Amino acid sequence: MKEQRKYKIDEAIRKLNLPNYKAALRIIPRELGIASNTFHNYRKLKVTDKADIPYEMVRKLEIMFHMKIGELANSKICCQDLSVLIMEYNSSESVSA
């Protein structure tokens, strides 16, 4: 089974016709200010990879592909509210003191 990609970049690019697909592979790295090889590496990132795309570039890609904030990611990021984390931290500190 293929491992899931971290971002939907390839899905978005594959929706283009062939001439636009080829143009996108040249234009996107230029607009992001990165090498085409770096863009290729971004496209191939797996969900389990520690490497990531800088947030500003993710937003630019979402804008280029007419996506809303967070739509480029292939997985949801879960985290507790900071106030809950602070309460847990404070209660663990009082137990260890």
Side-chain angles (χ1 to χ4, degrees), residues 58-82:
V58 170
R59 280 300 301 137
K60 286 180 180 180
L61 287 167
E62 288 172 337
I63 292 167
M64 286 180 203
F65 295 128
H66 302 282
M67 295 177 167
K68 296 177 184 169
I69 294 175
E71 284 186 348
L72 191 66
N74 246 340
S75 62
K76 297 289 181 197
I77 298 177
C78 299
C79 184
Q80 290 181 325
D81 183 273
L82 183 58

Side-chain angles (χ1 to χ4, degrees), residues 6-9 32 34 38-39 41-45 50-61 72:
K6 194 176 272 194
Y7 296 99
K8 299 174 190 171
I9 298 170
L32 296 179
I34 58 175
T38 302
F39 179 61
N41 291 338
Y42 286 171
R43 292 171 53 202
K44 303 299 178 196
L45 284 174
K50 291 188 181 205
D52 212 342
I53 303 173
Y55 177 75
E56 182 179 346
M57 289 187 193
V58 170
R59 280 300 301 137
K60 286 180 180 180
L61 287 167
L72 191 66

